[in-house]
Amino acid sequence: MSTYLGVDGGGSKTAFLLIDASGGVLASHTEGPAYHLEIGLQAMRVMLARGVLATLEQAALSPSRLGFAFLGLPAYGEDSRLRAALDSAASPPLPPERYRCGNDAVCAWAGALACQDGINLVAGTGSIAYGEFGGRSARAGGWGELFSDEGSSYWIAREGLNLFSRMSDGRAARGPLYQILRSHFRLQQDLDLCGAIYDQNQIQRSQLAALSPLIAQAAAAGDAQASALFARAADELVTIIGAVHRQLGIPDQATVSVSHSGGVLQHPEPLLARVHRRLESEGARYRVLAPRLPPAAGAALYAARLSGAPLSAQAVDALEHSLRAARR
């Protein structure tokens, strides 16, 4: 039976999932980050090779017998000079004709909507939206943490640190966020935060993004200014969705499915609920759906589609049921 490997590369971890044409799960594996701008191209290649081989070994499947694979990689398509290097990221161990690489936003869309027309929002370490409609595809956001990734964990953490600095020196009233961050970093004086962030072993993108739950904790504790950051985040994320909607040329009278993925939407602060309310306020333009499958499963579905043998609706249902049962 044909086999399909999905690889969802992320800023914090990389998930591998091997399935068959009936939607059965044959193997799964997890590795570290695939963000080449942080770990380097060679480290990414080594990690991918290790993960691919470990996954195939679980199923006693040789690389030459794999049907097809799709690898979703962070920042793919965002530097033409690196296109060839990223396209060859899994060779070896996989034969070049047995896989294709793309942006990891495709994995999230393919999983959340099971490769059906619609838009998926990713809000994790970074933020991006990707959608397909009527044979067209488009993305918005995801230009990187320095000047984009609005509404993401990194963005929320960065804005939260900015708010702390304002609270410290009197530009903003002090709320719960102030003491929460002082305690987390064990600051003797507030300016020691600069040393924690800017020292010679500078904090990495994924590490800074991991501070966002502290901002959510402050919002839950009644910090109005921290809560306002999440309101701004929701506005930014809905704007990203709207940009994809316009690029896809979806008719005004059509209702398009919208789903989501990414860890920042799971914070105690109800960011996802805020996003849903803003989408629902636009009437029948959007149909908000819970994600059907995780991104790694989406990558496997996309691999099957790229091979010319997309999974049947029954196989997708079986895969969804199997993954839900495994999470219980």
Side-chain angles (χ1 to χ4, degrees), residues 109 113 116-120 130-133 244 248 256-258:
W109 164 81
L113 295 172
Q116 299 300 305
D117 277 0
I119 301 170
N120 186 68
Y130 174 86
E132 296 193 6
F133 187 88
V244 174
L248 290 174
V256 65
S257 297
V258 175

Side-chain angles (χ1 to χ4, degrees), residues 237-263:
L237 294 173
V238 171
T239 298
I240 293 171
I241 293 171
V244 174
H245 189 283
R246 287 189 294 276
Q247 289 183 62
L248 290 174
I250 300 172
D252 291 338
Q253 66 274 18
T255 298
V256 65
S257 297
V258 175
S259 194
H260 61 85
S261 52

Side-chain angles (χ1 to χ4, degrees), residues 115-190:
C115 289
Q116 299 300 305
D117 277 0
I119 301 170
N120 186 68
L121 169 70
V122 180
T125 304
S127 64
I128 189 172
Y130 174 86
E132 296 193 6
F133 187 88
R136 303 180 294 277
S137 63
R139 59 167 278 183
W143 292 73
E145 65 273 13
L146 290 182
F147 56 90
S148 183
D149 283 353
E150 298 87 352
S152 68
S153 291
Y154 187 98
W155 183 91
I156 290 168
R158 186 189 67 204
E159 294 299 305
L161 292 173
N162 173 264
L163 180 55
F164 174 87
S165 74
R166 299 170 69 86
M167 288 179 173
S168 174
D169 61 25
R171 289 173 289 158
R174 291 182 180 177
L177 176 70
Y178 176 74
Q179 192 56 50
I180 287 172
L181 289 182
R182 271 191 63 88
S183 298
H184 176 79
F185 286 102
R186 299 178 181 176
L187 302 178
Q188 294 184 30
Q189 61 173 4
D190 290 354

